[in-house]
Amino acid sequence: MSYKVDEIIKEHLSNWRQYPEIVKGFEFLHADAENTLKQQMELVLVEAPTFEEEERAQVFAQMLKEAGLDNVIIDEDGNTFGILKGKGEGPTILLEAHLDTVFPKGTVKEIVHKDGRIYCPGINDDTRGLANVLAILRAIKHAQIETTGDIIFLGTVEEEGIGGFGGMKKFLAKHQEVDGSISIDGAGLNGIVYEATGIRTIAVTFKGIGGHAMGAFGHVANPLHAAARAVAKIADIEVPADPRTTYAVSNFHAGNDTGVHAIVKDATIKINFRSNGQKELEELEAKIIAAIEEACQEETERWGKDTITYELIDYVDNRAGTQDKNAPIVQAAFHLIESLGFEPRLAQGGSTNASIPVTLGIPGVTLGRGGSEGGVHTVNEWFDPTDAHKGLQVIYLLLLHLAGVENKITSILII
Ligand SMILES: [Zn+2]
């Protein structure tokens, strides 16, 4: 992809090396690598499945305090944050990673070191992100950098799965002072997520009367058959390739082993569908709902006795959103990665916490955790910390160029 950063932004981003305290913070992130890793390993042992983040929130809050924030709050949603006050009138910037992991409690047993890798479920996603938030705070404190705007250091709840970025949503609804946002999530340091893929997850339960497989046959319609009809119709829906639009029936539940000779009373399917375009997402939703309604009607008419109805539960409802790929925050992230010697990569679409600011029109990106990693969302998850501080340095510099540094660097959001 050809991508050009404006000269004015390039020039603005080239000045930081002349300020000793900014260089000091930059170098601190390298020197602090062992501490960062130590906190990452402490945090990973505190399990935090989505909706059960309390214990990890407590530990993270304590770490924020130790890193130098005296106003740390765990709010009513569980979001855990502290604010580093700016010295001037600059934009308020959010730096966040998510507290929750995809693993149920009891999954994490121990940390295994093997061949330079650290194995543990959740070691990267997003435990490393949390450790990075803490390290960047320490770097700014250590170098006594005075930012112009406030910086909020945040661990969010409910990012994964049916959490659906709920923590980030709730936080931004309550903190309308946020002018820019960096989320830390994802592998390596090359990727820049600046768009928001729209995501819907719904559960649909088809309902009927039920009865004996032979005795009730012909007298009642079969909700499981209705669900199957719906799935077959959904399977045939055509979607555009661009903007990328996808769907999957991801769950099908009906009946049980003692009821193998029964017509069930209800059958539930779950459907996850996504699009990088909001219009396409809404069109797809209309088609899915039409498929469900037709399926109910067909199964009802097949027998002409009782009526199959359905009930819909919303799990995730995140709008799609686009941010100009030439927005200053995107250009700055791109240039910083490139100027530190790496190859930046703009992601197409994205399902990260940055989706929330982006759909609200707030400049926002998600940047990677640094280092290298694999097996994310599996029990074989591993992290290799080699040169991981370089990812931190990118985020640190972007953060300072968003918040501004008093009398030294003007925020790129207002140049
Ligand atoms: Zn994550």
Side-chain angles (χ1 to χ4, degrees), residues 98 100 125-126 159-160 184-186 369 377:
H98 62 87
D100 57 323
D125 190 10
D126 198 17
E159 191 268 354
E160 299 280 6
I184 308 177
D185 206 346
R369 291 179 277 259
H377 289 197

Side-chain angles (χ1 to χ4, degrees), residues 239-247 273-277 280-281 284:
V239 287
D242 185 26
R244 186 161 165 77
T245 303
T246 67
Y247 61 83
F273 51 105
R274 309 179 186 217
S275 179
N276 290 340
E280 289 74 12
L281 186 70
L284 175 55

